[in-house]
Amino acid sequence: MSGEMIREYYTLQDGTKVPKLGFGCYNPGKLDFVAVLRNAVEAGYRYFDTASFYETERDLAKALRETGIPRQEVQIASKAWHDEMGYEETKAAFSRTLERLETDYLDFYMIHWPKPCEDDPDWKERDLQTWKALTELKKEGKIRHLGMSNFLPHHLNNIFENSDCVPEVDQLEMHIGYSQEAAREFCQQKDMLVQAWGPLGRGKVNDNPIINGMAKKYGKTFSQISLRFLIQKGVMPIPKSGSREHMLDNMRIFDFEISEEDMWMLTCMPQETWQGEHPDFAVPKMKSNFVQ
């Protein structure tokens, strides 16, 4: 392996160490994604975030096999999609995910969205049945850590109030211009690790003069400022990149610190770069309109 490795970690409730930077496995369909993932492993990434919906679980398995990296040296996360929610459905979906990933356990497994659709009157019970399946799989040793994706405080409270097994991770759209302060603070108060999907804002803030000014000030790139901003919030960014050069650049965020004044400036930027999916009223249904 020729990468630089990520040597800073967050610590979960049970003491497990998780790299402060992960690698996102959503493929828009234009890349040789096995090659992309091989490059990510060789660059030094050790946490990989995929999902059944991304259709990249097999790609990740092949990339890990081809690099020869031992299974215990990487952490793999996947997620159950809308049509995989429910007690029996989730257990079946999890088995398919294990098969595609060529592993007998997952480090993290998450419910991808709290609702299968905006107007589902039974979403709370569906979440609880899905969660029950996950907790049983964890007790069987097939999942090491349980989590959520796109769950806001009122979705999470349904789990906290009805289960003794609490989530350890919540993954949210989070970036400069959409920092979701209320949800982040709620999760961190519950001792949950917050992860950020879309941490670079899908390019919507690339031309922002404040961020670009800070990039010049700190001698860093736009992406490095964006990722460092999240790290200093105690958030784990999960960027993706098809370029090995960008993969390595994204890792070079542990040798500087954004000042308190600049952090406030970035936090208070107009919240105008939301991607368009919301857990309550803009739930994604098809790959064509999904950008996580």
Side-chain angles (χ1 to χ4, degrees), residues 169-203:
V169 178
D170 192 16
Q171 188 178 125
L172 300 163
E173 178 187 352
M174 192 174 292
H175 47 78
I176 297 172
Y178 193 66
S179 56
Q180 298 224 58
E181 294 298 302
R184 177 186 62 80
E185 290 181 5
F186 177 90
C187 290
Q188 291 177 340
Q189 287 170 3
K190 295 289 188 180
D191 200 21
M192 297 172 65
L193 173 63
V194 180
Q195 297 178 330
W197 66 261
L200 303 179
R202 299 289 175 182

Side-chain angles (χ1 to χ4, degrees), residues 135-150:
T135 59
E136 290 182 4
L137 290 164
K138 182 179 181 182
K139 289 177 182 177
E140 294 169 11
K142 296 178 180 178
I143 305 172
R144 295 192 170 173
H145 304 283
L146 303 181
M148 309 303 199
S149 180
N150 301 295

